Structure formats: structure tokens, C-alpha cells
Amino acid sequence: MKDKIYKELSTIVDPEVGFDIVSLGLIYDVKVDGEKAMVTMTLSTRSCPLHELILSWVNDAVLRVDGIKECDIELVWEPAWNIEMANDEVKKALGA
């Protein structure tokens, strides 16, 4: 089930950076308890102008997974996101 959730989350592209939020390393954890999913995540900056929109996209993506009826999102700032959390493809593309 977690793999299906990660697959749906990987369809969400951060419009400011142009990469999906999973590849960027913004998703810290996904837990599933019955029909409820809990996503722990961050954003690239605290001042992200698309904060609410991205959280809405995450909620919608998780609820597209068969068997999931509820999604709780915990937005955290620690550890603070940095480019080292992204996958190698993203790091290379962004010159890190």
C-alpha cells in the first residue's frame, strides 16, 4: 500500500523546481493504518507560496489509492530540507 501511495505522490511536481516531491526528498515518511494514511513531509522553504496547494495535491493523491479513505498530513520543518535529500537525478540536474 505504501508503494502505491509513493507512486501517486511522485505525480506531484513542485512547480517552482520542476521535479516531483518524492524525488526532491520532501516526503519523509508514509504510514498506513487500515484505511488511513499518514504522510510526514516538508516543503523546500517555509515561505513556499504554494504551501496550501501542494498540501491539497498530496491529500488528493493519497486518496486516489484504493483502500485509503483518510489522509493526515504532518508538515514538519525539522529536519530542514536541503538538496542532499533529493535523489541523484535531481541533484545532478540542479548542479548539486
Side-chain angles (χ1 to χ4, degrees):
M1 184 78 67
K2 282 176 67 168
D3 289 342
K4 290 179 182 179
I5 292 171
Y6 273 100
K7 185 176 179 179
E8 284 297 325
L9 292 173
S10 70
T11 67
I12 302 169
V13 174
D14 183 321
E16 291 185 309
V17 187
F19 292 97
D20 73 85
I21 63 174
V22 173
S23 296
L24 282 167
L26 298 176
I27 303 298
Y28 289 167
D29 193 27
V30 172
K31 293 180 182 167
V32 177
D33 184 11
E35 296 180 333
K36 181 178 182 178
M38 287 111 356
V39 177
T40 304
M41 64 174 292
T42 195
L43 298 170
S44 56
T45 66
R46 285 182 184 250
S47 60
C48 176
L50 301 173
H51 173 129
E52 293 299 323
L53 187 57
I54 291 173
L55 294 182
S56 174
W57 292 342
V58 167
N59 184 72
D60 293 349
V62 171
L63 294 179
R64 283 195 299 266
V65 175
D66 286 338
I68 299 296
K69 304 224 184 292
E70 186 179 347
C71 176
D72 284 344
I73 302 169
E74 181 181 9
L75 185 62
V76 298
W77 301 110
E78 295 296 327
W81 181 85
N82 66 70
I83 191 63
E84 291 304 313
M85 295 173 167
N87 72 21
D88 290 340
E89 177 186 326
V90 172
K91 287 181 201 172
K92 183 178 176 182
L94 297 178

